[in-house]
Amino acid sequence: MGDYSSLFTGKAAAGEADNAGNTPPAKREPYRLLLVDDEPNVVKALLRVFRQENYQISYAANGQEALKLLEREKFQVMISDYLMPVMNGADLLRQAKAVQPDMIRIMLTGHADTAAVMAAIKDGAVYKFILKPWDDDDLRVTVALALEQYELIRKNRQLKKDNVAQSREIDALAKMAVTNRSQLAIMLHKRNLLNNQQVQELHKLQQGRKEPIIGLLLEKEWVTEKVLRDILRKDLLVEEVALAEFALESAVAALVPKAFCKRQLVVPLRLDGRRLLLAVADPLDAGMLDELRFVSGLELQVAMADVADIRQKVAEVYGEGSVSIEDLEAAFSGTDPFDGIEVVIEDEDDASLEELLRGTEEPPAVRLVNAVILEAIRLGASDIHIHPRAKSVMVRYRIDGVLSDKIQIPHSLHTSIVSRIKVMAELDITERRRPQDGRIAIKTPLRIVDLRISTLPTINGEKVVMRILDRNAAVHSITELGLSPVNLAKIERMVEKPQGIVLATGPTGSGKTTTLYSLLQHNATATKNYVTIEDPVEYYMDMAGQVYVKEKTGLNFATVLRSILRQDPDVILLGEIRDFETAEVAFHAALTGHLVYSTLHTNSAVATIARLFDLGLKPYVVATALEGIVAQRLVRRICPDCRTPQPVDARLLNKLGPRFDPEQTATYVGTGCDNCHGSGYRGRIALHEVLVPDERVRQMIASGVSPHELGKAVAQLGFATLIDDARLKVHEGLTTAEEILRVLGPQESAD
């Protein structure tokens, strides 16, 4: 059993400094105890127990007093009675844990409510449970053990901090790892032994697997090692050695770690003064040789040998007891999500493949792309725009629906950044004259996100737009969509229909998919088969079968939808209706007993009918299958922390039409604070208009009436338009009139 004298007295144990031969440590502050009991006699008895110990003791008569003390002062141990008025000991210790989580909490009780006490112990609120009457010696030892536990927790936390610091140092060292810059593939390409596609594939593999080019080349079996050796020996006059003739000394072997030799296919042979004779499989790997020259501080004399001979020699010299490459990989694995991919730099249009691939080793583009993406995720951006301009490249983030310039990059790095992103998205790096689309899945320390990549040639170079899709984003309930009570009632009735089609409409980025997933999840049960077809999948839902559309492989919306109908679905979520073929299959599914959710790019709910006719659908099909339309827009929400009432210029309200009466519309603004970064806005809220056709409207749709006549008809039903919902949200202080004007634009005056 340990010596607890230091815990009782607050001093080091006697003889401790002498035995260690060190100067005694500086005197520390005494431990602080908090006693809580509503009976004064019990408090006095506890004070007598600890009268000889060097503790600073405070006491409180009830839970409220104790919590006030905890908010002002720091304690190491708290001893509380269980049965107290207003707040019992279990509730007090739970709240105390939230205020000072490191404090050790002990409960004294003579009450027989074991279930309540054990519940507190299971919650982690109680370290020790002691019955009254207590034994004084037992109580002193219990407190001493509690203080020892407190010290262990404190030291463990410090060790964790030290480990984090050391991990950062390891990460920094890992980023200085070898960069393979072999010209072997380029040499073979010049000799027509490899084509462009093979060279690019080799470099992509090397960037992802961090292995030497020669090993990957031999793995592919595109060129034999005998042909390689002949070219290097005859054309480049590289010296070749027979490793069996060398007997390596342990001192020479220690100059290069086994992990390096095994990974880079090298082996040290002989040391002459400051010159190290090195056998390598790829003498054209300048990056590996430069790194070894720098680390060893020696001059290198390079000779080549077969890969099999080098591996055999490494096993012979270093044996199996050394640190394995797997151990080193575990120790040096960084947290950078893109460290496994290098940038391919593009220069002018006539740049050769060799020039393109040479840029792979340049790290500024790698770090720059990483920083751009991670900063966008940190700021909560939905899109990243890399926009080349005449004199520089501007990185722009769309935050809460508004683009803003964030980072200015020299134009000289533009092609490097574009090529880096293309390699990550597995696009064609040599194609710079036509648009390309791709996807990237990345893992950050916070979460996993998908990036949807689009490139577009412009007069200043290729523009890249990246849409950020958070895999871990939670699906909102329909009550969290910001619907007005009238619209919420319409939607709740709409989603209860067993068949038909429900459309969410609006421009790109207006939250249509978010709304559809909320409808899909509402009242979802295990008795139904849910299937989604998307490009890309924006939310992940375990109970649904989710299909990723891939146009390049012929897996389009219409094809997948036809296949899904043979999978016995009950509810289908179709990412987008783009053409007549998809629309026809979707409405056919809605007419044959399926509930279909989909999106359409239109400006309003009424305009959606005209758009469906324009796609080629027959009016009676639309009238029969359509169960509802939700048109929406996203506007920025006023920051709740700095919101304040403020009158708005009447001319601004006049632009928003007669529904915004300056005399009846309350307006608010955000003055700007730290929580909203001074913008006055934080987050977004949706404006909705919900159209649920009745029998009269269905008859009008079936007869193919004009949108104007249809609009008049639904207005008589009390249909609330987007501008009506906008006025309500401005009046409630959720958004501003300026934001409504930005999103919806000026409105027409009353007829």
Side-chain angles (χ1 to χ4, degrees):
M1 186 173 180
D3 187 349
Y4 299 117
S5 62
S6 61
L7 300 176
F8 283 114
T9 63
K11 301 177 181 179
E16 193 174 281
D18 295 338
N19 294 337
N22 299 323
T23 304
K27 183 178 180 181
R28 58 158 294 157
E29 292 294 325
Y31 293 107
R32 304 198 62 199
L33 273 62
L34 176 60
L35 310 178
V36 186
D37 200 302
D38 59 326
E39 298 181 14
N41 292 333
V42 174
V43 174
K44 291 178 181 178
L46 290 172
L47 290 173
R48 284 195 299 270
V49 172
F50 302 111
R51 66 180 181 275
Q52 295 183 353
E53 281 71 50
N54 186 25
Y55 297 151
Q56 287 187 0
I57 300 178
S58 301
Y59 54 88
N62 52 58
Q64 289 85 347
E65 289 184 15
L67 291 174
K68 290 180 180 179
L69 280 172
L70 291 175
E71 291 175 356
R72 296 196 308 264
E73 304 174 29
K74 185 175 180 62
F75 295 90
Q76 282 74 44
V77 177
M78 177 178 181
I79 303 175
S80 173
D81 186 25
Y82 174 70
L83 194 60
M84 295 186 295
V86 182
M87 181 187 302
N88 63 39
D91 293 336
L92 170 61
L93 293 182
R94 286 192 189 95
Q95 296 187 42
K97 179 183 178 182
V99 178
Q100 293 191 23
D102 295 341
M103 181 178 63
I104 306 299
R105 298 164 294 278
I106 299 174
M107 182 183 293
L108 290 173
T109 181
H111 189 60
D113 190 357
T114 308
V117 176
M118 290 306 297
I121 293 176
K122 289 179 180 179
D123 289 344
V126 178
Y127 165 74
K128 189 76 174 181
F129 170 44
I130 299 178
L131 287 173
K132 295 179 181 178
W134 63 81
D135 181 90
D136 290 354
D137 291 335
D138 288 345
L139 184 57
R140 277 193 291 267
V141 171
T142 298
V143 171
L145 290 171
L147 291 171
E148 189 176 64
Q149 178 74 9
Y150 176 87
E151 288 296 330
L152 288 173
I153 294 173
R154 183 182 62 81
K155 291 176 181 177
N156 186 50
R157 183 177 292 106
Q158 184 60 42
L159 286 173
K160 288 182 178 179
K161 289 181 179 179
D162 294 342
N163 287 339
V164 170
Q166 291 174 5
S167 296
R168 289 174 180 168
E169 293 179 6
I170 290 175
D171 289 343
L173 290 173
K175 297 183 190 304
M176 297 174 62
V178 173
T179 300
N180 295 99
R181 298 199 304 271
S182 176
Q183 298 299 306
L184 187 60
I186 298 299
M187 180 197 71
L188 295 173
H189 175 260
K190 289 180 177 179
R191 286 167 171 75
N192 297 321
L193 294 174
L194 294 177
N195 57 37
N196 286 355
Q197 289 73 23
Q198 288 173 324
V199 174
Q200 288 195 53
E201 184 174 349
L202 280 175
H203 277 267
K204 285 182 180 179
L205 285 173
Q206 193 275 324
Q207 292 157 6
R209 291 163 56 175
K210 292 294 185 183
E211 295 179 10
I213 284 288
I214 188 169
L216 300 172
L217 180 62
L218 297 178
E219 178 184 309
K220 289 290 185 181
E221 297 182 349
W222 288 334
V223 180
T224 65
E225 189 168 11
K226 182 179 183 303
V227 172
L228 286 177
R229 299 300 166 209
D230 289 342
I231 294 174
L232 292 172
R233 182 174 58 255
K234 296 176 182 178
D235 295 0
L236 301 182
L237 304 178
V238 178
E239 180 185 357
E240 190 171 13
V241 294
L243 296 182
E245 299 177 359
F246 288 85
L248 270 67
E249 299 178 0
S250 58
V252 175
L255 294 174
V256 184
K258 175 190 175 184
F260 189 97
C261 294
K262 189 175 179 181
R263 169 62 67 90
Q264 300 300 329
L265 298 174
V266 304
V267 61
L269 299 178
R270 185 175 58 238
L271 183 62
D272 294 330
R274 300 291 300 169
R275 174 168 295 189
L276 177 64
L277 176 61
L278 193 71
V280 301
D282 184 2
L284 300 184
D285 193 341
M288 178 270 294
L289 296 174
D290 288 344
E291 179 70 17
L292 186 55
R293 189 177 290 111
F294 174 78
V295 172
S296 66
L298 301 172
E299 298 179 11
L300 299 182
Q301 178 184 349
V302 178
M304 67 177 178
D306 289 345
V307 170
D309 293 342
I310 290 177
R311 286 174 174 162
Q312 182 179 351
K313 198 68 174 178
V314 169
E316 173 189 325
V317 172
Y318 293 93
E320 300 300 327
S322 301
V323 178
S324 67
I325 188 63
E326 289 76 13
D327 296 334
L328 288 178
E329 285 176 345
F332 286 92
S333 58
T335 57
D336 193 331
F338 308 127
D339 271 351
I341 305 175
E342 297 289 342
V343 172
V344 178
I345 295 185
E346 294 185 282
D347 291 323
E348 302 301 325
D349 288 346
D350 58 350
S352 67
L353 182 64
E354 180 178 358
E355 291 172 331
L356 292 174
L357 293 172
R358 188 178 298 136
T360 302
E361 297 85 40
E362 297 191 15
V366 177
R367 300 298 166 205
L368 192 54
V369 171
N370 294 354
V372 165
I373 295 174
L374 293 176
E375 179 67 6
I377 294 172
R378 186 186 71 82
L379 294 175
S382 61
D383 299 87
I384 305 170
H385 290 238
I386 299 178
H387 189 167
R389 295 175 178 170
K391 296 182 179 179
S392 64
V393 178
M394 186 60 67
V395 177
R396 313 176 74 199
Y397 294 152
R398 188 179 294 278
I399 302 173
D400 291 338
V402 178
L403 272 174
S404 57
D405 296 348
K406 289 295 183 181
I407 305 171
Q408 185 171 324
I409 300 171
H411 213 290
S412 59
L413 287 174
H414 173 241
T415 51
S416 306
I417 295 170
V418 173
S419 296
R420 165 67 173 169
I421 295 171
K422 282 185 175 181
V423 170
M424 292 163 59
E426 297 184 354
L427 302 178
D428 187 355
I429 65 170
T430 62
E431 180 56 67
R432 298 179 290 261
R433 297 177 180 86
R434 64 179 177 85
Q436 296 187 69
D437 295 311
R439 302 184 182 97
I440 308 170
I442 65 173
K443 181 179 180 180
T444 72
L446 299 177
R447 56 187 181 271
I448 299 176
V449 299
D450 289 328
L451 299 180
R452 187 167 59 182
I453 311 298
S454 174
T455 68
L456 181 69
T458 69
I459 59 173
N460 293 321
E462 286 185 282
K463 179 182 178 182
V464 180
V465 176
M466 294 181 275
R467 168 66 60 88
I468 301 174
L469 304 172
D470 189 352
R471 286 190 181 184
N472 300 327
V475 179
H476 300 289
S477 68
I478 60 175
T479 57
E480 298 172 336
L481 296 178
L483 292 157
S484 65
V486 174
N487 287 336
L488 179 60
K490 290 180 180 179
I491 284 185
E492 287 179 337
R493 180 184 175 190
M494 188 190 304
V495 298
E496 291 176 356
K497 297 292 181 70
Q499 69 276 324
I501 187 167
V502 176
L503 297 174
T505 69
T508 301
S510 58
K512 301 185 295 296
T513 304
T514 299
T515 298
L516 288 186
Y517 263 97
S518 298
L519 303 185
L520 183 69
Q521 185 175 263
H522 186 70
N523 293 334
T525 66
T527 61
K528 292 183 178 181
N529 180 17
Y530 299 86
V531 183
T532 74
I533 314 169
E534 301 172 77
D535 179 22
V537 176
E538 296 190 26
Y539 291 90
Y540 285 79
M541 190 173 176
D542 285 341
M543 67 186 307
Q546 297 180 281
V547 181
Y548 220 144
V549 170
K550 296 181 180 178
E551 297 282 355
K552 293 180 181 179
T553 60
L555 197 66
N556 55 33
F557 281 105
T559 302
V560 177
L561 185 53
R562 285 194 181 94
S563 300
I564 281 178
L565 292 177
R566 295 191 287 271
Q567 294 274 320
D568 186 32
D570 295 296
V571 182
I572 302 170
L573 190 153
L574 181 62
E576 183 181 351
I577 294 178
R578 299 179 178 176
D579 49 38
F580 169 71
E581 186 180 11
T582 306
E584 184 181 37
V585 179
F587 273 78
H588 175 74
L591 289 171
T592 55
H594 304 87
L595 181 58
V596 181
Y597 296 111
S598 189
T599 69
L600 205 62
H601 287 85
T602 61
N603 292 328
S604 66
V606 174
T608 303
I609 308 297
R611 173 61 178 151
L612 293 172
F613 292 164
D614 183 58
L615 286 173
L617 292 175
K618 294 178 173 59
Y620 70 86
V621 172
V622 175
T624 307
L626 187 64
E627 291 295 340
I629 302 172
V630 181
Q632 64 183 69
R633 300 290 190 278
L634 291 179
V635 295
R636 289 182 291 175
R637 183 196 295 266
I638 299 175
C639 175
D641 297 316
C642 60
R643 187 184 70 173
T644 181
Q646 183 173 318
V648 178
D649 189 349
R651 290 177 297 179
L652 173 61
L653 294 181
N654 288 334
K655 290 182 180 180
L656 294 175
R659 289 178 175 81
F660 279 79
D661 186 349
E663 300 296 329
Q664 299 180 3
T665 303
T667 55
Y668 299 80
V669 297
T671 57
C673 63
D674 293 338
N675 293 327
C676 62
H677 304 289
S679 68
Y681 297 98
R682 196 172 74 203
R684 288 189 289 179
I685 191 171
L687 309 177
H688 300 93
E689 60 181 31
V690 182
L691 174 60
V692 180
D694 61 1
E695 288 304 317
R696 180 190 172 195
V697 172
R698 290 185 189 277
Q699 291 176 4
M700 296 181 70
I701 294 174
S703 62
V705 300
S706 67
H708 182 70
E709 294 177 357
L710 188 61
K712 286 185 176 180
V714 298
Q716 296 175 0
L717 300 176
F719 173 68
T721 63
L722 287 171
I723 197 67
D724 293 323
D725 197 35
R727 189 199 67 80
L728 179 64
K729 288 181 168 60
V730 169
H731 189 75
E732 292 176 348
L734 298 175
T735 189
T736 64
E738 291 88 349
E739 187 68 5
I740 299 301
L741 184 62
R742 179 185 71 84
V743 174
L744 297 182
Q747 302 296 306
E748 296 180 1
S749 301
D751 294 335

